[in-house]
Amino acid sequence: MRSRSPQHSGTIASPKPLGFEPAHVVTARISLNLQEFSTVDRRSAFYRDAIARLRELPGVEAASVGGPPPLAPVRSTLRFWRTDDREGTSSLGSHQSIMPGYFGVMGIPLRSGRDISDDDIVRRRRVAIVDERLAAQLWQGDAIGQSLSVVYSKQPLEVVGVAGHIRARDIRDAGTSLIYVPSHVYEIEQTLVVKTPAPLSTVAPAIKQSVEALGPGRPVFAIRPMGVIVQASNDNTQ
């Protein structure tokens, strides 16, 4: 098996298209002190501050937050259906909780509509971006402005965008539909995603120091290139 040194933030060749671009993407996990960050508004404000600081680092091209990231080993399975047709076609899939700019960092194309915005989060709008596979299943592709229901919530979501389909669970997973929602809609432990050509030996300490400087109770750990995660998924599925 091929291996890749974690000192590089480049990508590993995958046998199939991933739907996202792992090259020069570094991920980092954050474990927030939930006593200090006891509300969704405080957590969202922290993530906005962290993203702003990361974008100012030398060599960083873009930064955002999303969880669980592509190829995460644990991912929930949810059922989605058209709000106006609960007894009709439904789909099984998963979700990601994201902040603005996530698609640009990860190289996931936005096929139509718009990205999640800071205003969506501040105003707690119940919006979602669906992937093109789910859009085709439920609305024959014409999903913008439609209402989506999800098994975990009694309140529907307004579809504001359609994104490209990615391999979500592992690099051979071509069948999992995804929706992307703002962090206040469905909270989960978040992951920083940073686009930078800088070597990990340089950027990892800078990421950790920049975010942890915001105060205690914000430890940053498991800083890894997305290419290493792709390689691990490749190794685990052979």
Side-chain angles (χ1 to χ4, degrees):
M1 296 181 184
R2 293 175 298 169
S3 62
R4 180 78 169 210
S5 167
Q7 293 300 310
H8 298 276
S9 59
T11 185
I12 302 298
S14 170
K16 299 179 181 180
L18 297 169
F20 62 92
E21 178 49 69
H24 306 305
V25 174
V26 174
T27 68
R29 295 178 63 189
I30 307 174
S31 181
L32 291 181
N33 182 325
L34 295 183
Q35 289 185 331
E36 182 176 355
F37 296 94
S38 57
T39 67
V40 65
D41 289 338
R42 293 197 69 183
R43 292 189 286 273
S44 295
F46 161 72
Y47 289 127
R48 283 195 296 272
D49 290 344
I51 291 168
R53 289 181 67 91
L54 290 173
R55 289 173 177 167
E56 293 176 354
L57 293 177
V60 168
E61 298 173 355
S64 188
V65 167
L71 312 182
V74 177
R75 185 178 291 276
S76 62
T77 298
L78 305 172
R79 187 169 71 90
F80 312 115
W81 63 92
R82 289 173 47 165
T83 303
D84 62 356
D85 189 18
R86 183 179 182 122
E87 302 305 318
T89 301
S90 65
S91 178
L92 291 177
S94 190
H95 74 283
Q96 285 185 239
S97 177
I98 65 171
M99 296 287 284
Y102 176 82
F103 295 106
V105 176
M106 298 303 298
I108 300 172
L110 196 62
R111 303 296 190 197
S112 61
R114 65 171 178 86
D115 195 357
I116 300 296
S117 71
D118 284 323
D119 197 51
D120 290 329
I121 295 170
V122 170
R123 296 178 181 273
R124 295 201 181 190
R125 294 192 182 104
R126 295 190 60 80
V127 297
I129 295 171
V130 302
D131 75 6
E132 56 194 343
R133 186 175 187 273
L134 184 62
Q137 287 179 330
L138 298 187
W139 297 286
Q140 290 73 54
D142 187 17
I144 304 300
Q146 300 290 350
S147 182
L148 174 72
S149 289
V150 185
V151 70
Y152 65 72
S153 176
K154 295 181 180 179
Q155 296 179 281
L157 303 169
E158 179 191 357
V159 178
V160 297
V162 176
H165 181 65
I166 71 167
R167 295 180 184 269
R169 300 181 188 273
D170 60 61
I171 65 170
R172 305 189 189 283
D173 170 26
T176 299
S177 297
L178 276 179
I179 69 168
Y180 302 86
V181 296
S183 56
H184 64 275
V185 171
Y186 191 92
E187 281 202 284
I188 195 167
E189 184 174 294
Q190 297 282 27
T191 297
L192 294 169
V193 290
V194 180
K195 184 81 168 180
T196 175
L200 192 68
S201 58
T202 299
V203 76
I207 291 173
K208 184 175 178 65
Q209 181 178 9
S210 179
V211 175
E212 292 182 351
L214 288 168
R218 304 157 176 83
V220 178
F221 62 102
I223 304 175
R224 297 192 295 169
M226 196 67 215
V228 171
I229 297 172
V230 171
Q231 182 65 65
S233 180
N234 185 40
D235 293 344
N236 291 335
T237 55
Q238 290 188 7

XYZ file of all heavy atoms in Angstrom, residues 28-106:
614
model
N -9.055 20.034 11.099
C -8.696 20.078 12.520
C -9.969 20.018 13.348
O -10.933 20.737 13.079
C -7.920 21.358 12.848
N -9.972 19.170 14.336
C -11.140 19.040 15.201
C -11.068 20.015 16.373
O -9.980 20.405 16.800
C -11.262 17.598 15.705
C -11.547 16.596 14.587
C -11.603 15.180 15.113
N -12.696 15.018 16.072
C -12.865 13.923 16.808
N -12.011 12.910 16.706
N -13.885 13.848 17.656
N -12.253 20.385 16.873
C -12.363 21.273 18.030
C -13.328 20.635 19.023
O -14.391 20.147 18.640
C -12.918 22.656 17.657
C -12.129 23.286 16.517
C -12.921 23.580 18.859
C -12.733 24.585 16.039
N -12.945 20.638 20.279
C -13.839 20.153 21.328
C -14.149 21.327 22.253
O -13.330 21.719 23.082
C -13.183 19.010 22.116
O -14.059 18.534 23.113
N -15.337 21.903 22.087
C -15.701 23.079 22.868
C -16.154 22.694 24.276
O -16.792 21.663 24.479
C -16.828 23.846 22.181
C -16.491 24.561 20.871
C -17.720 25.287 20.359
C -15.334 25.519 21.044
N -15.827 23.554 25.231
C -16.339 23.430 26.588
C -17.815 23.843 26.567
O -18.142 25.014 26.395
C -15.546 24.342 27.527
C -15.994 24.234 28.973
O -17.169 24.042 29.262
N -15.051 24.368 29.891
N -18.715 22.864 26.742
C -20.135 23.137 26.584
C -20.730 23.920 27.748
O -21.851 24.413 27.658
C -20.894 21.825 26.377
C -20.539 21.086 25.082
C -21.396 19.842 24.934
C -20.691 21.989 23.861
N -20.007 24.027 28.861
C -20.472 24.913 29.924
C -20.271 26.369 29.529
O -21.116 27.224 29.789
C -19.737 24.603 31.231
C -20.140 23.280 31.859
C -19.491 23.077 33.210
O -18.392 23.573 33.475
N -20.164 22.345 34.083
N -19.139 26.630 28.893
C -18.866 27.995 28.438
C -19.672 28.336 27.197
O -20.162 29.460 27.047
C -17.378 28.176 28.157
C -17.018 29.578 27.715
C -15.518 29.757 27.542
O -14.760 28.815 27.854
O -15.116 30.843 27.100
N -19.814 27.350 26.290
C -20.549 27.565 25.045
C -21.874 26.807 25.135
O -22.081 25.804 24.454
C -19.712 27.101 23.854
C -18.449 27.884 23.671
C -17.264 27.440 24.228
C -18.452 29.080 22.976
C -16.087 28.154 24.070
C -17.288 29.813 22.823
C -16.104 29.360 23.371
N -22.750 27.302 25.982
C -23.962 26.564 26.333
C -25.123 26.782 25.367
O -26.135 26.083 25.445
C -24.410 26.946 27.750
O -24.621 28.355 27.841
N -24.998 27.748 24.474
C -26.083 28.017 23.529
C -25.570 27.914 22.099
O -24.375 28.103 21.824
C -26.686 29.418 23.738
O -25.707 30.415 23.377
C -27.106 29.615 25.194
N -26.502 27.660 21.184
C -26.121 27.548 19.778
C -25.595 28.886 19.258
O -24.684 28.918 18.403
C -27.308 27.050 18.931
C -28.449 28.047 18.919
C -26.866 26.734 17.503
N -26.117 30.002 19.761
C -25.639 31.310 19.309
C -24.181 31.543 19.712
O -23.385 32.075 18.931
C -26.505 32.424 19.891
C -27.889 32.465 19.265
O -28.041 31.940 18.143
O -28.812 33.009 19.896
N -23.812 31.150 20.910
C -22.424 31.317 21.363
C -21.491 30.418 20.561
O -20.370 30.806 20.229
C -22.307 31.008 22.849
C -23.034 31.992 23.743
C -22.572 31.893 25.172
N -21.196 32.366 25.312
C -20.506 32.339 26.445
N -21.059 31.833 27.540
N -19.274 32.798 26.501
N -21.936 29.216 20.281
C -21.086 28.305 19.498
C -20.906 28.820 18.073
O -19.803 28.794 17.522
C -21.677 26.892 19.519
C -21.615 26.249 20.909
C -22.006 24.787 20.883
N -23.430 24.564 20.706
C -24.325 24.530 21.698
N -23.939 24.755 22.945
N -25.591 24.275 21.455
N -21.987 29.296 17.483
C -21.890 29.838 16.126
C -20.980 31.059 16.083
O -20.183 31.226 15.148
C -23.282 30.214 15.601
O -24.102 29.077 15.455
N -21.071 31.913 17.101
C -20.211 33.099 17.153
C -18.748 32.698 17.273
O -17.866 33.315 16.645
C -20.622 33.989 18.327
N -18.470 31.666 18.062
C -17.091 31.197 18.177
C -16.573 30.711 16.826
O -15.452 31.054 16.423
C -16.974 30.065 19.194
C -15.725 29.259 19.014
C -14.492 29.778 19.357
C -15.767 27.996 18.437
C -13.329 29.067 19.147
C -14.616 27.274 18.235
C -13.388 27.809 18.592
N -17.369 29.913 16.123
C -16.910 29.398 14.834
C -16.657 30.535 13.845
O -15.687 30.493 13.076
C -17.924 28.402 14.261
C -17.974 27.100 15.015
C -19.181 26.600 15.491
C -16.813 26.369 15.261
C -19.227 25.399 16.190
C -16.859 25.170 15.957
C -18.065 24.694 16.419
O -18.119 23.504 17.110
N -17.498 31.563 13.864
C -17.262 32.718 12.984
C -15.942 33.398 13.326
O -15.173 33.771 12.434
C -18.425 33.711 13.078
C -19.669 33.296 12.326
C -20.625 34.472 12.151
N -21.120 34.947 13.430
C -22.206 34.472 14.040
N -22.900 33.510 13.476
N -22.608 34.974 15.196
N -15.675 33.565 14.633
C -14.414 34.190 15.048
C -13.212 33.331 14.644
O -12.188 33.858 14.183
C -14.403 34.393 16.563
C -15.374 35.475 17.026
O -15.827 36.262 16.167
O -15.682 35.509 18.231
N -13.328 32.019 14.821
C -12.227 31.113 14.471
C -11.943 31.160 12.976
O -10.782 31.224 12.549
C -12.558 29.691 14.915
N -12.992 31.128 12.174
C -12.825 31.184 10.724
C -12.153 32.495 10.319
O -11.239 32.509 9.477
C -14.189 31.020 10.021
C -14.710 29.591 10.195
C -14.077 31.370 8.535
C -16.160 29.429 9.777
N -12.585 33.599 10.906
C -12.005 34.903 10.568
C -10.513 34.933 10.888
O -9.704 35.464 10.102
C -12.738 36.013 11.318
N -10.123 34.369 12.023
C -8.706 34.351 12.398
C -7.903 33.459 11.461
O -6.783 33.810 11.055
C -8.552 33.867 13.846
C -9.044 34.862 14.879
C -8.848 34.324 16.279
N -7.432 34.213 16.620
C -6.717 35.156 17.210
N -7.282 36.316 17.516
N -5.443 34.968 17.498
N -8.459 32.326 11.099
C -7.735 31.410 10.222
C -7.522 32.022 8.835
O -6.473 31.822 8.221
C -8.491 30.092 10.101
C -8.507 29.228 11.369
C -9.430 28.031 11.189
C -7.100 28.764 11.732
N -8.488 32.763 8.358
C -8.367 33.382 7.038
C -7.271 34.435 6.989
O -6.808 34.797 5.902
C -9.710 33.991 6.626
C -10.765 32.951 6.282
C -12.126 33.566 6.050
N -13.104 32.564 5.645
C -14.427 32.765 5.603
N -14.910 33.962 5.930
N -15.240 31.797 5.240
N -6.848 34.915 8.147
C -5.792 35.933 8.208
C -4.397 35.325 8.280
O -3.403 36.051 8.164
C -6.019 36.831 9.428
C -7.280 37.685 9.336
C -7.523 38.494 10.593
O -6.763 38.300 11.570
O -8.453 39.318 10.605
N -4.291 34.008 8.461
C -2.981 33.375 8.573
C -2.242 33.411 7.240
O -2.852 33.217 6.183
C -3.126 31.925 9.038
C -3.637 31.701 10.464
C -3.789 30.209 10.739
C -2.674 32.326 11.482
N -0.927 33.606 7.260
C -0.149 33.579 6.015
C -0.303 32.237 5.297
O -0.213 31.173 5.910
C 1.293 33.782 6.501
C 1.163 34.468 7.818
C -0.088 33.922 8.442
N -0.547 32.307 4.007
C -0.652 31.100 3.207
C -2.030 30.465 3.188
O -2.268 29.550 2.393
N -2.942 30.916 4.025
C -4.298 30.347 4.041
C -5.142 31.027 2.965
O -5.262 32.251 2.924
C -4.955 30.506 5.423
C -6.454 30.183 5.353
C -4.274 29.607 6.436
N -5.707 30.216 2.085
C -6.519 30.738 0.988
C -7.995 30.835 1.352
O -8.711 31.702 0.847
C -6.339 29.841 -0.246
C -4.901 29.803 -0.747
C -4.689 28.784 -1.847
O -5.644 28.040 -2.161
O -3.570 28.729 -2.389
N -8.462 29.930 2.212
C -9.868 29.919 2.617
C -9.999 29.045 3.856
O -9.155 28.184 4.124
C -10.757 29.394 1.496
N -11.071 29.272 4.615
C -11.318 28.468 5.817
C -12.809 28.433 6.100
O -13.538 29.380 5.785
C -10.569 29.037 7.021
N -13.257 27.343 6.696
C -14.648 27.225 7.098
C -14.754 26.110 8.129
O -13.746 25.652 8.679
C -15.552 26.954 5.886
O -16.916 27.027 6.252
N -15.982 25.690 8.377
C -16.270 24.656 9.366
C -17.340 23.741 8.798
O -18.277 24.194 8.134
C -16.772 25.301 10.689
C -17.369 24.256 11.613
C -15.649 26.034 11.393
N -17.210 22.454 9.048
C -18.239 21.502 8.641
C -18.092 20.193 9.390
O -16.984 19.788 9.737
N -19.184 19.546 9.669
C -19.094 18.272 10.362
C -20.338 17.417 10.134
O -21.441 17.950 10.010
N -20.170 16.100 10.017
C -18.875 15.441 9.885
C -18.316 15.650 8.481
O -19.082 15.713 7.526
C -19.225 13.957 10.110
C -20.644 13.828 9.663
C -21.300 15.136 10.001
N -16.994 15.757 8.351
C -16.396 15.995 7.036
C -16.491 14.747 6.167
O -16.828 13.662 6.656
C -14.946 16.327 7.374
C -14.695 15.609 8.664
C -15.985 15.666 9.413
N -16.213 14.853 4.875
C -16.232 13.680 4.010
C -15.338 12.569 4.540
O -14.272 12.814 5.099
C -15.710 14.212 2.671
C -16.020 15.670 2.702
C -15.869 16.081 4.138
N -15.801 11.333 4.370
C -15.079 10.110 4.733
C -14.957 9.928 6.243
O -14.141 9.128 6.704
C -13.691 10.062 4.075
C -13.657 10.382 2.571
C -12.244 10.247 2.032
C -14.603 9.489 1.796
N -15.760 10.654 7.026
C -15.774 10.445 8.473
C -16.274 9.033 8.769
O -17.217 8.564 8.123
C -16.668 11.470 9.155
N -15.650 8.328 9.722
C -16.012 6.917 9.965
C -17.410 6.727 10.526
O -18.000 5.665 10.369
C -14.951 6.466 10.974
C -14.481 7.716 11.637
C -14.555 8.778 10.584
N -17.960 7.744 11.203
C -19.297 7.630 11.779
C -20.190 8.688 11.144
O -19.887 9.869 11.183
C -19.277 7.814 13.313
C -20.695 7.750 13.868
C -18.392 6.765 13.970
N -21.282 8.254 10.562
C -22.200 9.183 9.901
C -23.613 8.644 10.052
O -23.877 7.479 9.777
C -21.833 9.324 8.418
C -22.657 10.347 7.671
C -22.184 10.436 6.233
N -20.864 11.041 6.137
C -20.645 12.350 6.121
N -21.662 13.191 6.203
N -19.427 12.827 6.009
N -24.525 9.483 10.513
C -25.896 9.044 10.728
C -26.618 8.831 9.402
O -26.262 9.412 8.378
C -26.652 10.074 11.565
O -26.702 11.317 10.877
N -27.652 7.979 9.435
C -28.512 7.755 8.275
C -29.882 8.346 8.572
O -30.483 8.044 9.606
C -28.644 6.262 7.966
O -27.350 5.735 7.638
C -29.586 6.024 6.792
N -30.353 9.202 7.691
C -31.616 9.900 7.867
C -32.521 9.655 6.665
O -32.051 9.290 5.584
C -31.376 11.405 8.012
C -30.407 11.858 9.101
C -30.142 13.347 8.964
C -30.943 11.533 10.475
N -33.826 9.868 6.867
C -34.774 9.771 5.764
C -35.272 11.157 5.399
O -35.631 11.946 6.274
C -35.960 8.870 6.136
C -36.912 8.600 4.951
C -37.903 7.501 5.298
N -38.884 7.938 6.269
C -40.054 8.500 5.957
N -40.369 8.710 4.681
N -40.901 8.852 6.893
N -35.284 11.465 4.114
C -35.749 12.738 3.599
C -36.967 12.505 2.702
O -37.044 11.490 2.018
C -34.667 13.428 2.752
C -33.308 13.474 3.394
C -32.234 12.788 2.837
C -33.099 14.211 4.542
C -30.983 12.833 3.417
C -31.847 14.264 5.126
C -30.791 13.575 4.566
N -37.882 13.470 2.684
C -39.000 13.394 1.756
C -39.505 14.797 1.446
O -39.233 15.753 2.174
C -40.137 12.531 2.303
C -40.784 13.051 3.552
C -41.873 13.871 3.644
C -40.384 12.804 4.907
N -42.177 14.135 4.955
C -41.281 13.486 5.751
C -39.355 12.051 5.497
C -41.165 13.461 7.139
C -39.249 12.020 6.875
C -40.144 12.719 7.677
N -40.252 14.905 0.351
C -40.884 16.173 0.012
C -41.966 16.479 1.036
O -42.816 15.625 1.326
C -41.499 16.084 -1.386
C -40.487 16.038 -2.495
C -41.148 15.767 -3.838
N -42.335 16.614 -4.065
C -42.900 16.778 -5.251
N -42.399 16.146 -6.308
N -43.956 17.551 -5.389
N -41.947 17.678 1.577
C -42.942 18.047 2.593
C -44.360 17.935 2.043
O -45.290 17.570 2.773
C -42.681 19.477 3.092
O -41.343 19.553 3.601
C -43.650 19.865 4.195
N -44.534 18.216 0.759
C -45.873 18.177 0.172
C -46.277 16.778 -0.284
O -47.341 16.592 -0.871
C -45.969 19.149 -1.013
C -45.008 18.787 -2.153
O -44.224 17.828 -1.994
O -45.033 19.483 -3.186
N -45.422 15.780 -0.014
C -45.726 14.419 -0.494
C -45.071 13.387 0.415
O -44.240 12.589 -0.010
C -45.237 14.261 -1.938
C -45.708 12.962 -2.583
O -46.663 12.350 -2.064
O -45.101 12.551 -3.592
N -45.463 13.379 1.682
C -44.848 12.485 2.657
C -45.010 11.018 2.274
O -44.147 10.188 2.576
C -45.428 12.728 4.044
C -44.764 11.853 5.104
C -45.297 12.081 6.491
N -44.587 11.239 7.450
C -43.922 11.680 8.498
N -43.860 12.970 8.738
N -43.319 10.845 9.322
N -46.122 10.657 1.658
C -46.376 9.258 1.304
C -45.751 8.874 -0.035
O -45.853 7.721 -0.461
C -47.888 8.999 1.263
C -48.611 9.313 2.566
C -48.003 8.584 3.755
O -47.663 7.393 3.613
O -47.867 9.215 4.818
N -45.113 9.837 -0.683
C -44.513 9.553 -1.978
C -43.071 9.109 -1.853
O -42.681 8.445 -0.893
N -42.256 9.508 -2.814
C -40.855 9.109 -2.848
C -40.095 9.691 -1.659
O -40.235 10.867 -1.338
C -40.196 9.591 -4.150
O -40.896 9.031 -5.256
C -38.739 9.159 -4.214
N -39.307 8.860 -1.006
C -38.409 9.337 0.043
C -37.008 8.809 -0.262
O -36.826 7.955 -1.131
C -38.870 8.874 1.427
O -38.807 7.470 1.539
N -36.033 9.325 0.454
C -34.650 8.934 0.213
C -33.922 8.793 1.534
O -34.176 9.551 2.474
C -33.946 9.980 -0.659
O -32.584 9.648 -0.868
N -33.016 7.833 1.609
C -32.135 7.692 2.754
C -30.817 8.381 2.445
O -30.295 8.292 1.329
C -31.895 6.220 3.079
C -33.086 5.433 3.617
C -32.699 3.972 3.817
C -33.590 6.029 4.923
N -30.277 9.069 3.434
C -29.010 9.752 3.229
C -28.427 10.212 4.542
O -28.744 9.679 5.603
N -27.584 11.222 4.468
C -26.939 11.751 5.662
C -26.880 13.271 5.553
O -27.465 13.848 4.635
C -25.533 11.152 5.820
O -24.995 11.484 7.079
N -26.213 13.911 6.500
C -26.194 15.357 6.534
C -24.838 15.855 7.005
O -24.063 15.126 7.616
C -27.275 15.888 7.476
C -26.915 15.695 8.914
N -27.017 14.482 9.521
C -26.411 16.551 9.833
C -26.593 14.599 10.775
N -26.218 15.840 10.990
N -24.581 17.117 6.700
C -23.444 17.834 7.258
C -23.918 19.182 7.761
O -24.758 19.830 7.140
C -22.338 18.039 6.215
C -21.546 16.774 5.925
C -20.382 17.021 4.988
O -20.305 16.422 3.938
N -19.476 17.909 5.374
N -23.387 19.581 8.911
C -23.654 20.900 9.474
C -22.485 21.797 9.092
O -21.332 21.473 9.394
C -23.802 20.789 10.995
O -23.994 22.042 11.574
N -22.755 22.911 8.411
C -21.671 23.701 7.839
C -21.821 25.186 8.164
O -22.880 25.659 8.565
C -21.588 23.521 6.312
C -22.843 24.088 5.625
C -21.369 22.062 5.947
C -22.738 24.145 4.109
N -20.730 25.905 7.955
C -20.705 27.368 8.011
C -20.439 27.890 6.594
O -20.011 27.131 5.704
C -19.618 27.836 8.970
C -19.817 27.440 10.422
S -21.129 28.361 11.256
C -20.322 29.943 11.538
N -20.686 29.182 6.354
C -20.449 29.740 5.017
C -19.013 29.498 4.537
O -18.065 29.516 5.321
C -20.717 31.231 5.216
C -21.675 31.291 6.355
C -21.266 30.184 7.277
N -18.878 29.260 3.229
C -17.562 29.063 2.629
C -17.086 27.633 2.593
O -16.022 27.354 2.027
N -17.854 26.703 3.163
C -17.420 25.305 3.225
C -17.211 24.712 1.830
O -16.222 24.016 1.584
C -18.457 24.493 4.006
C -18.166 23.019 4.062
C -17.268 22.503 5.005
C -18.774 22.123 3.184
C -16.995 21.148 5.054
C -18.501 20.771 3.236
C -17.617 20.285 4.169
O -17.339 18.942 4.214
N -18.120 24.977 0.921
C -18.024 24.378 -0.413
C -16.773 24.853 -1.143
O -16.128 24.071 -1.855
C -19.277 24.701 -1.232
C -20.531 24.083 -0.680
C -21.463 24.867 -0.023
C -20.763 22.729 -0.791
C -22.616 24.304 0.502
C -21.909 22.153 -0.270
C -22.841 22.937 0.385
N -16.429 26.133 -0.973
C -15.232 26.644 -1.627
C -13.968 25.986 -1.112
O -13.060 25.675 -1.896
N -13.881 25.784 0.199
C -12.702 25.121 0.763
C -12.583 23.698 0.250
O -11.499 23.246 -0.149
C -12.766 25.125 2.309
C -11.576 24.349 2.888
C -12.767 26.542 2.854
N -13.689 22.972 0.247
C -13.674 21.552 -0.091
C -13.722 21.285 -1.594
O -13.577 20.137 -2.020
C -14.846 20.840 0.584
C -14.806 20.882 2.109
S -13.290 20.182 2.807
C -13.408 18.487 2.239
